[in-house]
Amino acid sequence: MPETLLSQGKLHFERQGAGPPLLLIHGFPFDHRMWQSQLAELRTSFDVIAPDLRGFGDSPLHSGEFSEEPSLLNYAHELIELLDALHIKEQITLCGLSMGGYIAWDFCEVALHRLERLIICSSKASADPKEVVENRHQVAERVMEIGPHFLIEGMLPKVLGKTSLQSRPSVKELTEAMIMKSSPLGIATAQRAMAARVDREDFLPQIAIPTLLVSGEEDPLTPPELMKKMTGKLPNSELKTISSAGHLAPMECPGEFNQIVKAFLQ
Ligand code: MLT
């Protein structure tokens, strides 16, 4: 797996295929492996790049400014740095899932001109209510004390749809493995950054590039009804739903997800 040295240290990423660049941003607390089916299939037509965000997978996070002043903008800036390091000058398609979607809004704010298209999967533009913010801070403290294993029990029924929980054991296994691989400081920093994020609802009308929204019908966190509301604000957007997928639709129903993405990008 290649790595590149950026201002915050080494960043690992997977890169496969050739064609127009497609940058995939994973959700919390996962890594590039959540996109393994997209890397395998979309590489026939695209230059697919899937980094491990700082503090996740194989991208180390050391204490310092990045963790002491947590902001989703830090991750967005690192992605821009990554594109520069890879000498990608043409406009890209950015695809973010959940936390990756929140980071995508920040990317749009600072570098919309670098995007040709946007794909937002299982995500939203609103900020968190107070109790969610408080919970994020508690999780951040707890993970620093005891590590990431406690997240598995609470998260699996939320991030995997009921079909996956019942009949896709390999998806469940990979989800657990990614949670366990995330560093405690990476998890704590991302939680604090998500807690601090601002509401992006009023920013959406400024994103006029073609935008695809994807939602799993078994997703309790960002269900289709919630994502549908964003199509009213994003001027050039459409929503596609996947019936037997939850929050992690690209992993749960990769065939359907890839078809939707390919149709949008053609
Ligand atoms: C994710 O999948 O990235 C998380 O559900 C995001 C969140 O905690 O809001």
Side-chain angles (χ1 to χ4, degrees):
M1 187 180 172
E3 65 182 35
T4 183
L5 186 61
L6 302 181
S7 55
Q8 300 293 324
K10 283 180 194 163
L11 196 87
H12 283 253
F13 60 94
E14 194 56 75
R15 186 178 193 186
Q16 291 185 25
L22 172 63
L23 178 62
L24 306 173
I25 322 175
H26 63 76
F28 168 91
F30 310 120
D31 58 52
H32 78 279
R33 287 175 292 170
M34 66 151 287
W35 301 113
Q36 57 191 17
S37 303
Q38 286 66 48
L39 283 156
E41 194 176 335
L42 301 177
R43 71 178 167 202
T44 54
S45 314
F46 300 95
D47 174 7
V48 191
I49 305 151
D52 284 347
L53 293 172
R54 175 103 14 237
F56 297 97
D58 286 314
S59 295
L61 171 61
H62 304 293
S63 52
E65 215 176 292
F66 197 100
S67 58
E68 280 154 24
E69 289 169 37
S71 161
L72 293 174
L73 208 48
N74 293 338
Y75 301 89
H77 280 304
E78 270 220 305
L79 294 173
I80 295 165
E81 240 195 291
L82 175 65
L83 293 177
D84 290 341
L86 300 179
H87 305 291
I88 296 175
K89 293 195 170 53
E90 65 192 288
Q91 287 185 317
I92 65 157
T93 295
L94 185 64
C95 170
L97 179 133
S98 199
M99 178 180 76
Y102 310 155
I103 293 169
W105 304 136
D106 280 29
F107 190 111
C108 287
E109 192 183 39
V110 290
L112 187 57
H113 62 282
R114 297 192 70 154
L115 302 185
E116 187 183 10
R117 286 165 198 273
L118 185 61
I119 302 171
I120 300 288
C121 183
S122 313
S123 196
K124 55 186 182 247
S126 52
D128 291 328
K130 196 165 158 266
E131 62 279 8
V132 176
V133 170
E134 279 165 11
N135 185 55
R136 289 194 192 281
H137 287 292
Q138 282 163 15
V139 169
E141 275 172 36
R142 189 149 181 232
V143 77
M144 294 303 290
E145 282 162 20
I146 63 170
H149 64 274
F150 77 96
L151 289 170
I152 291 174
E153 197 185 329
M155 281 198 82
L156 283 197
K158 291 189 189 145
V159 297
L160 296 180
K162 65 175 188 320
T163 310
S164 299
L165 288 168
Q166 280 160 12
S167 59
R168 296 180 185 126
S170 59
V171 171
K172 207 168 150 222
E173 260 168 50
L174 179 56
T175 306
E176 289 186 14
M178 290 189 293
I179 294 174
M180 288 307 291
K181 176 127 194 185
S182 303
S183 78
L185 188 59
I187 290 175
T189 303
Q191 278 290 17
R192 291 176 180 134
M194 286 191 279
R197 77 187 195 281
V198 295
D199 195 289
R200 290 290 188 195
E201 301 269 357
D202 290 343
F203 174 59
L204 299 187
Q206 293 178 43
I207 304 174
I209 54 174
T211 301
L212 169 69
L213 304 174
V214 186
S215 176
E217 288 179 16
E218 296 180 357
D219 179 5
L221 298 174
T222 49
E225 317 81 81
L226 187 114
M227 291 197 73
K228 178 82 190 152
K229 289 189 189 141
M230 288 195 285
T231 59
K233 296 200 167 178
L234 287 158
N236 195 356
S237 64
E238 58 178 320
L239 170 72
K240 295 283 182 199
T241 64
I242 301 181
S243 59
S244 66
H247 198 58
L248 295 181
M251 283 172 68
E252 295 177 75
C253 294
E256 246 181 285
F257 181 84
N258 292 346
Q259 281 314 312
I260 290 172
V261 167
K262 279 199 253 178
F264 172 67
L265 294 178
Q266 262 153 24

